[in-house]
């Protein structure tokens, strides 16, 4: 029997070893999920909402335990882990309250006696989820999927297997129908066969662009719907008229939240030339004031990266960028203590061709890029294979809004604020950041059959 072991990234010590599922067990779970779906799809919105509310209540009741588990498994600062669990509960409650309205039949006037659009569930959805938000990534998919009448199988990242099993435990305590939700501890190599199972109707994946390409190709070969939320290298444009105090505070949080391990984190700071000295000085002071260390200590705002190999890859990107001419303002070293720690790091004078310009830096590293004017800043922001999020900072709200709405090539564009998800709004990207949307009305309609009903 194969096993997987969770490692505490703050100490490098082993936490627990879990037995993984066989591919036969995964196939059986898919079959059981199909049976559960056949019953669940017939339930009322009120019944579905009641389950989501029970799950939300349990999340709130067990918040501290769940948050601690996330922190010790992937290193997230404990206050952020608690906030993550709260956000999961809020999203479940949003869909419980709004799902019936979002999926109500829509009358369309045609030459028929009666014609309308009806939204019917698709079936069993396979969710392939990452480790960086071990609860949020799952529940933001689960809430609309279950509310729409679908069933769900979860293949979580192996380093957060404890979180994956905790989610299954919560669903059991909430009295979810047997087979409606199942956590599978599987190696990535088993995903292809599972997608091919006849019961799987669709796939949702959050992860790297490479993983998205692989899953998309397999799902496409079987003509199965996909939603992909992939990598990002979000650009924040800082114009010369920006409120620098607000900008520094927001950019610091946007870059360092979750120890910099977020697809939608601020990564490239594109600064108009006139504002560059003040921005660099302010960001440096703010980064140097950040505290990193044991993530269970509440005043530590940055914990370790999730794994040592990820930390080492990030450091290699930083060193290569410096070798190519980037200027190191702070950080940029591997601490001596045990664990996967990496300090808040700033690279300035970043140019095209450097890893800090072209690649996603998944950790607490800021890349500062100078722009001679507003037009060049927009061009640089869009000069990326990614298109998940983008931000712009300016005192001229009307101009900034026009740039965000019409000029920036990304799925989520924010003005004078850090990019983040909200259950009421769609979330997703373009280009190699993926396709499809999660959350809001748009997320719940991704995994339904948009059916035309025509009465002649």
């Amino acid at each position: 029997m194969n096993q997987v072991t969770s490692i505490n990234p703050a100490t490098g010590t082993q936490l627990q070893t879990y037995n993984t599922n066989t591919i036969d067990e995964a196939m059986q779970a898919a079959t059981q999920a199909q049976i559960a779906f056949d019953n669940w799809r017939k339930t009322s919105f009120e019944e579905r909402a009641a389950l989501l509310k029970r799950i939300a209540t349990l999340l709130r009741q067990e918040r501290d335990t769940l948050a601690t588990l996330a922190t010790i498994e992937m290193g997230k600062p404990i206050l952020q882990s608690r906030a993550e669990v709260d956000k999961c509960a809020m999203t479940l409650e949003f869909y419980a309250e709004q799902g019936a309205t979002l999926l109500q039949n829509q009358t369309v006037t045609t030459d028929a006696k009666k014609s309308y659009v009806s939204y019917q569930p698709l079936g069993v959805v396979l969710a392939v989820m990452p480790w960086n938000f071990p609860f949020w990534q799952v529940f933001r998919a689960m809430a609309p999927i279950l509310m729409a009448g679908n069933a769900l199988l979860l293949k979580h990242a192996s380093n957060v297997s404890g979180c994956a099993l905790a989610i299954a435990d919560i669903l059991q305590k909430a009295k979810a129908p047997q087979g409606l939700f199942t956590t599978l501890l599987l190696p990535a190599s088993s995903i292809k066969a599972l997608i091919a199972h006849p019961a799987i109707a669709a796939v949702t994946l959050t992860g790297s662009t490479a993983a998205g390409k692989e899953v998309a190709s397999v799902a496409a070969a079987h003509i199965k719907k996909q939603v992909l939320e992939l990598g990002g290298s979000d650009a924040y444009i800082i114009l010369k008229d920006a409120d620098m105090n607000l900008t520094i505070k927001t950019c610091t949080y946007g870059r360092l939240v979750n120890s910099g391990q977020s697809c939608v984190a601020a990564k490239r700071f594109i600064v108009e030339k006139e504002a560059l000295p003040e921005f660099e000085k302010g960001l440096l002071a703010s980064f140097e004031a950040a505290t990193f260390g044991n993530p269970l200590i509440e005043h530590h705002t940055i914990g370790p990266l999730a794994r040592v190999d990820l930390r080492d890859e990030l450091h290699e990107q930083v060193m290569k960028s410096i070798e190519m001419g980037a200027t190191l303002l702070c950080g940029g070293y591997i601490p001596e203590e045990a664990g996967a720690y990496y300090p808040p790091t700033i690279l300035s004078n970043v140019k095209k061709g450097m890893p800090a310009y072209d690649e996603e830096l998944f950790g607490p590293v800021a890349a500062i890029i100078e722009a001679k004017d507003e037009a060049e800043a927009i061009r640089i922001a869009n000069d990326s294979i990614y298109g998940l999020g983008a931000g712009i900072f300016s005192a001229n709200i009307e101009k900034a809004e026009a740039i965000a709405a019409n000029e920036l090539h990304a799925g989520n564009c924010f003005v004078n604020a850090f990019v983040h998800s909200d259950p009421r709004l769609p979330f997703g990207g373009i280009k190699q950041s993926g396709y499809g949307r999660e959350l809001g009305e748009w997320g719940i309609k991704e995994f339904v059959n948009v059916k035309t009903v025509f009465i002649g």
Side-chain angles (χ1 to χ4, degrees), residues 108-163:
V108 179
T109 301
T110 66
D111 56 353
K113 292 178 182 177
K114 181 180 182 182
S115 54
Y116 59 94
V117 178
S118 177
Y119 301 100
Q120 303 295 318
L122 282 183
V124 182
V125 181
L126 171 63
V128 182
M129 292 293 138
W131 45 261
N132 57 334
F133 293 91
F135 293 114
W136 168 241
Q137 304 285 12
V138 176
F139 283 103
R140 82 176 184 191
M142 179 196 296
I145 285 171
L146 295 187
M147 191 64 197
N150 298 297
L152 185 64
L153 294 181
L154 170 64
K155 189 281 176 207
H156 217 327
S158 60
N159 61 320
V160 289
S161 294
C163 292

Side-chain angles (χ1 to χ4, degrees), residues 87-109:
K87 189 173 182 179
C88 294
M90 179 182 70
T91 300
L92 287 158
E93 290 162 349
F94 168 79
Y95 279 109
E97 294 163 3
Q98 300 297 323
T101 300
L102 297 175
L103 294 178
Q104 65 185 343
N105 292 345
Q106 291 183 284
T107 300
V108 179
T109 301

Side-chain angles (χ1 to χ4, degrees), residues 24-66:
D24 287 342
E25 289 171 337
M27 295 301 190
Q28 184 179 1
T31 300
Q32 290 299 315
Q34 179 66 51
I35 296 170
F37 163 70
D38 289 338
N39 293 317
W40 185 247
R41 66 186 300 274
K42 300 171 187 175
T43 58
S44 66
F45 286 121
E46 289 76 14
E47 290 176 272
R48 300 174 196 171
L51 174 61
L52 265 59
K53 289 179 180 178
R54 292 197 299 272
I55 298 169
T57 297
L58 286 165
L59 288 177
R60 295 189 191 281
Q61 290 174 351
E62 300 187 22
R63 183 189 71 161
D64 290 348
T65 299
L66 296 171

Side-chain angles (χ1 to χ4, degrees), residues 244-302:
M244 202 53 67
N245 288 331
L246 170 67
T247 300
I248 295 299
K249 180 180 179 181
T250 307
C251 288
T252 299
Y253 184 82
R255 174 64 283 201
L256 300 183
V257 65
N258 205 38
S259 305
Q261 300 169 112
S262 171
C263 296
V264 76
K267 297 189 175 92
R268 295 177 295 138
F269 298 96
I270 303 162
V271 190
E272 266 197 292
K273 185 175 182 179
E274 292 91 330
L276 186 60
E278 185 179 3
F279 179 79
E280 285 191 346
K281 180 180 179 181
L283 193 69
L284 176 60
S286 187
F287 269 45
E288 289 180 333
T291 55
F292 77 103
N294 185 344
L296 289 171
I297 297 176
E298 291 188 1
H299 72 265
H300 286 162
T301 56
I302 304 172

